[in-house]
Amino acid sequence: MTTLYEPAYAKLNLTLDVLGKREDGYHDLKSVMQTISLRDDIEIDIETGKPWVLRCTNEAVPTDERNLAWKAAKVYLDAMNKDPNGLEIRITKRIPSEAGLGGGSADAAAVLRALNKYCGNPLSILALAELGAQVGSDVPFCTLCGTAMVEGRGERLRKLPNMPDCVFVVCKPDFSVSTPVLYNEIDSCAIAKRPDNTAMESALLAGDFGKVAENLLNVFDPIVTQKHLELNYIKSIFNSYGAVGYQMTGSGSAVFAIVPDFEFAAVICNMLRDNYPQVFIAKPV
Ligand code: ATP
């Protein structure tokens, strides 16, 4: 039996634009995404000689073939025509679920990377990301990691210059947002302000984290904030204690701030922790 270890990094949407609904019912997106050091840990035992098992430290997460990590293992092994002779996947969960942090996708991507390494890296990282699109929309980016422009349903990736050195504070409030309901809403309203992805790319190229912060924009943020005013409370704490930029990630409900260093991050965490136990400090990875 062999055990594989792989980190599964959460993602943030630095920009997120919804371009329109496609004929297949999905939406075309354009988003600058960033992986961060907030992570789950994946361990995979291969050749257990027993039926497949998945264990997760978070009891709310499914532990059968509905789990994206399980799906990813199936997709990879089918594509490579390999039989692992038994598999046990263990997930140490730290990424909050239903947060817009891509927790399930991160786990799936980590499984793809781990199995590909185990097989001697037959697939390039981009080929692996392409395979990930069969598992979920955010899986291709989570496979690539770093900073990237993500388009289509999430399957078109272009690597961007790395995010300049900075610290993120991520806060997940207690409520969750239904992603399908949110997409329906965005279809029926005019989007007032869209991100300037060219300006975001230039900011990344210049390594100017102030300009990156200035260009944060997620079209879902105003829709969710309007309904959940406590997001304004969290943002006001971010704003009062030194954040240079902040917004919701993905379809929420987590919000994040960009701060210059750990001292600012620690103060913000202390201010939020009593009301929000799910508050994290992270770096870009
Ligand atoms: P995204 O940003 O991609 O929309 P999210 O942060 O909103 O993702 P996830 O953590 O991916 O949310 O969880 C969404 C749902 O996916 C959960 O309710 C859970 O039932 C299911 N799920 C499947 N596999 C996993 C996994 N490995 N980890 C967490 N959730 C999973």
Side-chain angles (χ1 to χ4, degrees):
M1 193 180 75
T2 311
T3 304
L4 318 174
Y5 302 91
E6 191 69 26
Y9 297 111
K11 62 88 181 156
L12 296 176
N13 297 86
L14 301 180
T15 67
L16 177 54
D17 201 1
V18 178
L19 302 179
K21 198 168 179 179
R22 309 166 1 153
E23 278 182 3
D24 60 7
Y26 289 99
H27 287 77
D28 270 320
L29 308 177
K30 186 160 184 175
S31 177
V32 175
M33 291 196 196
Q34 174 67 49
T35 40
I36 59 171
S37 55
L38 170 61
R39 66 167 216 253
D40 295 343
D41 282 315
I42 305 290
E43 289 176 42
I44 308 174
D45 292 340
I46 303 237
E47 294 161 48
T48 58
K50 295 184 193 151
W52 286 28
V53 184
L54 188 145
R55 299 182 205 284
C56 182
T57 53
N58 179 340
E59 284 172 9
V61 171
T63 52
D64 51 21
E65 63 283 350
R66 286 171 298 163
N67 194 295
L68 296 186
W70 184 303
K71 276 190 191 158
K74 178 104 185 45
V75 162
Y76 184 85
L77 294 164
D78 283 354
M80 304 314 285
N81 205 12
K82 281 222 154 64
D83 177 4
N85 184 28
L87 207 67
E88 177 168 326
I89 302 174
R90 290 181 295 277
I91 304 174
T92 305
K93 218 27 76 243
R94 297 189 197 87
I95 306 172
S97 284
E98 294 170 351
L101 294 165
S105 308
D107 296 347
V111 166
L112 292 177
R113 287 194 304 267
L115 291 176
N116 198 44
K117 272 185 214 162
Y118 172 73
C119 293
N121 287 321
L123 297 185
S124 69
I125 198 74
L126 284 177
L128 202 59
E130 201 177 319
L131 202 58
Q134 292 179 34
V135 183
S137 303
D138 287 335
V139 181
F141 170 70
C142 290
T143 305
L144 181 68
C145 294
T147 316
M149 183 71 78
V150 181
E151 293 181 74
R153 260 184 71 189
E155 76 286 4
R156 276 162 44 211
L157 305 175
R158 182 161 55 84
K159 198 104 179 96
L160 295 176
N162 288 340
M163 174 86 189
D165 194 33
C166 68
V167 178
F168 294 105
V169 179
V170 180
C171 180
K172 164 73 174 69
D174 215 14
F175 68 90
S176 296
V177 179
S178 157
T179 308
V181 170
L182 201 52
Y183 274 102
N184 274 338
E185 263 176 68
I186 209 142
D187 286 337
S188 60
C189 72
I191 297 175
K193 208 161 173 232
R194 293 179 181 275
D196 183 345
N197 280 309
T198 312
M200 179 57 91
E201 267 199 76
S202 306
L204 289 165
L205 197 61
D208 183 338
F209 96 91
K211 282 261 182 292
V212 169
E214 236 171 70
N215 283 290
L216 295 178
L217 207 147
N218 174 355
V219 294
F220 287 127
D221 183 320
I223 300 174
V224 177
T225 304
Q226 205 176 31
K227 286 200 190 128
H228 298 277
L229 293 177
E230 71 173 298
L231 292 187
N232 276 336
Y233 168 74
I234 300 169
K235 290 176 189 171
S236 74
I237 299 287
F238 287 162
N239 190 42
S240 303
Y241 294 93
V244 286
Y246 42 84
Q247 74 175 2
M248 195 180 76
T249 178
S251 52
S253 61
V255 281
F256 68 94
I258 299 182
V259 296
D261 58 43
F262 276 109
E263 266 113 64
F264 284 95
V267 171
I268 292 175
C269 273
N270 279 337
M271 297 307 296
L272 288 172
R273 192 154 274 149
D274 283 348
N275 291 323
Y276 298 101
Q278 298 201 87
V279 59
F280 308 90
I281 298 178
K283 298 275 291 174
V285 290

